[in-house]
Amino acid sequence: MQKEKHLELNRQWWKEGIVYQIYPRSFQDTSGNGIGDLRGIIKRLDYIKSLGVDIIWLNPVYESPNDDNGYDISDYRSIMKEFGTMADFDELLAGMKERGLRLVMDLVVNHSSDEHRWFQESRKSRANPYRDYYHWWPAEKGIPPKRWSFFDVESNAWKYDQQTDAYYLHCFSVKQPDLKWENPKLREEIYDLMRFWFDKGVDGFRMDVISFISKDTDFPKLPEKYNGEFIPFYANGPKLHDYLLEMNQKVLSQYDVMTVGEAPGVHIDEALQFVNEDRNELNMFFHFDLMSLDRETGETFMMQKEPWKLTEFKKIHSDWDGVFANKGWGSMYLNNHDFPRSVSRWGNDSKTHWYNSATMLQTFLLTMRGTPYFYYGEEIGMTNIKFETLSDYRDINTINRAETIRQQGGNLEAFIENEKDASRDNARTPMQWDSSENAGFSVENPWISVNGNCREGINVAAQEADTHSVLNYFRKMVQLRKSHLTLIYGEYQLLLPENEQVYAYTRSLEKECYLILLSFSEDRATVHFDEMSGTQAKLLISNDDANTRVDNGTFEVRPYQAMVYKLF
């Protein structure tokens, strides 16, 4: 009977796995140059294993001039010298396999570096065999139609190249020219490099801005239906799903691997086009509805809006869960290398509420349906660093946008104030291993400053020694999820949708049912469920010592408290 239930659930390792994302530049330095490296990850494999996670997502470690911290790749089959060698990579992969850990790498194939051999050849002449690996617009046709760039000082995605009197397309940095997927030879090159890593034993890819790879090569004027928004336009290329299907048929279906696409601009109504099992494209993808909840989109992307509401937060997650209730599979994340720390953004990082906030958010990710993704340091509650001056920043996004504002005579002080909460560098500060000067990350000054609160208990060494730490709560919560299939596959039902203090929901499968109560408030709250009057409830875990059920379906919830009950 148990086996039949598992078959009905369509169990998959990538559904049941918990992902731990490592930004290698900031994880652990062993060479003494202030930059994290592959041997640093090898050194910490036992720690990662102790967390209970199953899958490591490794941000790019390929050869790169580092215009965008490795997302501008100059050689897809070599390791960046700052990070180590291919021998180091092979040792890392072997060490992971020995510990039962799987490795997912970044696949960055919407664009390459302008220092990649393909582009170096492409720009030599219009007749070069590699010319059609990139998008070129001949100058004799006039100024190309407006396309927006994330990292360009002028927000212009076209760069004039004098050598062949033409413009090339770069939706990101000027040093990140977009690859031309419309060319079948280019696609075969990409499929071949994917096979290279899979044959090494890599277990999957996180596909960087994969929703952008298809272009309308006539480059028409932006259609009116997009209301000036380039991101959803970029995500709606005419042959996107043809390319994903072809990738699956030629490569992905030949290996036991997982795929997760980064999909900015993809609307909820389009979700199953990517992950419906019958379509054979991707396993799951990251949507951006939550990441834009309190941020502007379009050309002012990452600028803060009005404070977000819990009812909006609930609706986003409930709506997306509904999409995958019967088909496909979702992903759950609260931050990553592109977005600020979760406890500072979605919780409360004050000393009073930091512990409960960090553990409450862990509880949320580990009790929702969908594969949970945790960013390094989330397990110890790392917070935003909130740099005071522009000189502290290292991210091309912050630096170039500041230059744009300066050139336009804008309010630079307001922008820097915004970046204290919104900058990507908040998520890129070194991992806090201990309370030493550089937090145990490096013996030298790190490439980016360490958060000073590493000396205030937000470090691994201090939390290892404390049974009630954020770190040890995370381990307990991971094991709770792993020991209850209902928390992975069970039906999700939102309760109290209009409550602005408490996020309440149930997870149920066959005769099992769990109630999850999460406070997103500085104030105490009392919630009541008529349908639970007379129901027995056993508290399985809480980040607060108090069991705050009163009786007859009434629960008292403390500030940022998390509780998981089993209902009988």
Side-chain angles (χ1 to χ4, degrees):
M1 179 63 185
Q2 187 76 0
K3 184 177 181 180
E4 290 177 358
K5 182 171 80 169
H6 290 178
L7 288 173
E8 291 171 3
L9 296 178
N10 186 22
R11 294 185 65 177
Q12 302 285 347
W13 62 265
W14 43 266
K15 293 181 179 179
E16 299 180 21
I18 297 169
V19 182
Y20 185 75
Q21 181 189 353
I22 293 177
Y23 197 68
R25 196 172 191 81
S26 299
F27 195 63
Q28 177 71 72
D29 172 29
T30 61
S31 64
N33 63 357
I35 297 171
D37 46 52
L38 294 180
R39 301 215 65 81
I41 303 172
I42 294 170
K43 177 180 178 180
R44 299 295 184 176
L45 281 178
D46 285 338
Y47 166 77
I48 297 169
K49 177 65 177 176
S50 79
L51 299 176
V53 299
D54 311 278
I55 303 162
I56 293 176
W57 159 22
L58 187 61
N59 286 110
V61 293
Y62 316 100
E63 190 62 54
S64 167
N66 264 326
D67 187 58
D68 184 24
N69 277 10
Y71 280 91
D72 49 317
I73 298 169
S74 55
D75 187 342
Y76 288 94
R77 302 181 194 223
S78 297
I79 299 297
M80 191 187 304
K81 293 178 179 59
E82 288 180 329
F83 290 155
T85 65
M86 188 62 80
D88 293 329
F89 176 85
D90 292 340
E91 183 179 339
L92 171 62
L93 184 58
M96 291 179 58
K97 300 296 185 185
E98 290 171 5
R99 293 167 176 80
L101 296 167
R102 297 178 186 261
L103 176 61
V104 169
M105 296 183 72
D106 250 292
L107 183 72
V108 188
V109 288
N110 174 72
H111 46 265
S112 74
S113 167
D114 66 345
E115 297 183 30
H116 194 289
R117 179 179 62 87
W118 296 342
F119 190 74
Q120 293 295 303
E121 290 292 322
S122 182
R123 77 192 318 174
K124 285 181 178 179
S125 77
R126 294 188 181 187
N128 191 283
Y130 288 92
R131 184 68 170 186
D132 208 35
Y133 276 38
Y134 296 87
H135 296 276
W136 290 95
W137 181 276
E140 61 267 24
K141 291 178 63 176
I143 302 295
K146 169 71 175 177
R147 291 295 181 268
W148 178 73
S149 167
F150 280 85
F151 302 148
D152 190 79
V153 173
E154 299 176 353
S155 299
N156 184 3
W158 291 104
K159 172 67 175 177
Y160 178 70
D161 193 61
Q162 187 174 10
Q163 189 164 345
T164 59
D165 191 29
Y167 300 83
Y168 67 84
L169 183 71
H170 62 93
C171 290
F172 292 86
S173 161
V174 69
K175 288 182 65 63
Q176 293 171 293
D178 280 46
L179 291 161
K180 190 173 181 180
W181 275 72
E182 288 70 23
N183 181 352
K185 290 183 180 179
L186 181 277
R187 298 201 301 275
E188 287 302 327
E189 295 262 24
I190 292 170
Y191 301 156
D192 197 46
L193 72 88
M194 293 172 69
R195 296 184 192 100
F196 171 82
W197 292 104
F198 286 150
D199 290 342
K200 269 188 170 290
V202 169
D203 298 288
F205 282 118
R206 174 265 186 188
M207 300 181 179
D208 187 62
V209 289
I210 199 67
S211 55
F212 285 12
I213 60 174
S214 172
K215 313 290 196 290
D216 183 338
T217 55
D218 291 332
F219 294 103
K221 183 179 178 181
L222 184 68
E224 291 184 5
K225 68 177 182 178
Y226 290 101
N227 296 315
E229 293 282 352
F230 280 95
I231 294 175
F233 173 66
Y234 286 167
N236 196 31
K239 294 187 177 181
L240 173 60
H241 293 286
D242 293 340
Y243 299 152
L244 294 178
L245 177 60
E246 180 182 78
M247 178 195 292
N248 191 297
Q249 291 173 338
K250 291 192 173 185
V251 186
L252 301 175
S253 62
Q254 310 302 312
Y255 300 87
D256 178 21
V257 293
M258 69 170 269
T259 53
V260 53
E262 184 192 31
V266 173
H267 189 268
I268 190 169
D269 294 340
E270 303 162 333
L272 290 180
Q273 296 177 35
F274 291 83
V275 299
N276 187 332
E277 296 88 346
D278 298 334
R279 290 178 60 87
N280 297 314
E281 294 186 18
L282 303 177
N283 296 141
M284 59 187 123
F285 68 84
F286 299 131
H287 68 78
F288 279 66
D289 283 8
L290 180 66
M291 294 301 109
S292 60
L293 174 59
D294 58 346
R295 300 288 188 265
E296 298 288 351
T297 57
E299 298 195 30
T300 56
F301 189 63
M302 292 299 286
M303 296 297 288
Q304 295 188 84
K305 297 192 296 189
E306 293 297 317
W308 59 279
K309 297 180 179 180
L310 181 58
T311 49
E312 299 169 331
F313 185 96
K314 294 178 187 180
K315 187 176 189 309
I316 288 170
H317 287 101
S318 299
D319 287 351
W320 278 93
D321 179 87
V323 170
F324 305 126
N326 299 307
K327 289 284 188 180
W329 190 252
S331 61
M332 292 294 301
Y333 73 107
L334 292 172
N335 67 179
N336 58 34
H337 63 290
D338 281 335
F339 296 99
R341 289 285 175 182
S342 60
V343 68
S344 297
R345 186 175 185 182
W346 307 116
N348 184 323
D349 61 11
S350 68
K351 290 184 179 180
T352 301
H353 298 297
W354 164 78
Y355 174 87
N356 271 17
S357 287
T359 49
M360 181 274 291
L361 293 172
Q362 292 172 354
T363 308
F364 170 65
L365 285 181
L366 290 166
T367 54
M368 288 288 286
R369 179 161 48 186
T371 301
Y373 289 74
F374 287 93
Y375 188 55
Y376 81 93
E378 224 171 332
E379 76 276 18
I380 59 171
M382 283 179 61
T383 67
N384 286 353
I385 194 167
K386 302 183 179 181
F387 288 131
E388 292 289 341
T389 63
L390 189 61
S391 61
D392 291 321
Y393 288 96
R394 301 291 179 266
D395 180 26
I396 185 176
N397 188 45
T398 296
I399 294 169
N400 284 9
R401 284 170 59 233
E403 179 60 25
T404 299
I405 291 169
R406 183 183 290 112
Q407 290 182 8
Q408 295 176 349
N411 189 334
L412 196 57
E413 289 185 3
F415 171 73
I416 294 173
E417 191 65 27
N418 174 83
E419 293 300 273
K420 289 181 181 180
D421 292 313
S423 174
R424 302 194 301 178
D425 276 344
N426 280 306
R428 299 179 179 185
T429 57
M431 178 65 176
Q432 296 167 203
W433 296 106
D434 57 40
S435 59
S436 63
E437 182 178 0
N438 296 324
F441 166 73
S442 178
V443 296
E444 295 295 333
N445 288 332
W447 71 279
I448 191 171
S449 297
V450 171
N451 195 320
N453 62 20
C454 68
R455 294 181 286 275
E456 300 170 7
I458 307 182
N459 70 72
V460 172
Q463 294 190 26
E464 288 277 18
D466 180 1
T467 58
H468 296 290
S469 66
V470 173
L471 173 60
N472 282 311
Y473 181 90
F474 176 80
R475 289 176 170 138
K476 293 174 186 175
M477 194 61 230
V478 164
Q479 293 309 313
L480 183 69
R481 180 180 179 89
K482 286 177 173 290
S483 60
H484 296 83
L485 276 180
T486 301
L487 294 179
I488 300 171
Y489 293 107
E491 177 185 353
Y492 161 92
Q493 182 179 355
L494 175 66
L495 307 173
L496 308 177
E498 301 305 318
N499 191 301
E500 291 287 4
Q501 290 180 272
V502 177
Y503 192 164
Y505 51 94
T506 58
R507 300 295 310 282
S508 55
L509 181 66
E510 294 187 343
K511 296 181 180 179
E512 282 191 345
C513 186
Y514 299 88
L515 170 67
I516 295 89
L517 298 177
L518 307 170
S519 168
F520 280 74
S521 172
E522 297 180 3
D523 301 316
R524 289 175 178 255
T526 300
V527 294
H528 178 76
F529 308 97
D530 289 334
E531 63 273 27
M532 294 182 193
S533 298
T535 301
Q536 291 185 327
K538 177 184 178 182
L539 182 66
L540 300 184
I541 194 169
S542 175
N543 62 355
D544 195 299
D545 290 338
N547 179 353
T548 53
R549 186 180 187 196
V550 181
D551 57 61
N552 292 325
T554 299
F555 298 79
E556 290 183 354
V557 188
R558 297 187 176 192
Y560 297 99
Q561 187 174 13
M563 293 176 282
V564 180
Y565 286 94
K566 185 173 183 179
L567 302 180
F568 298 91

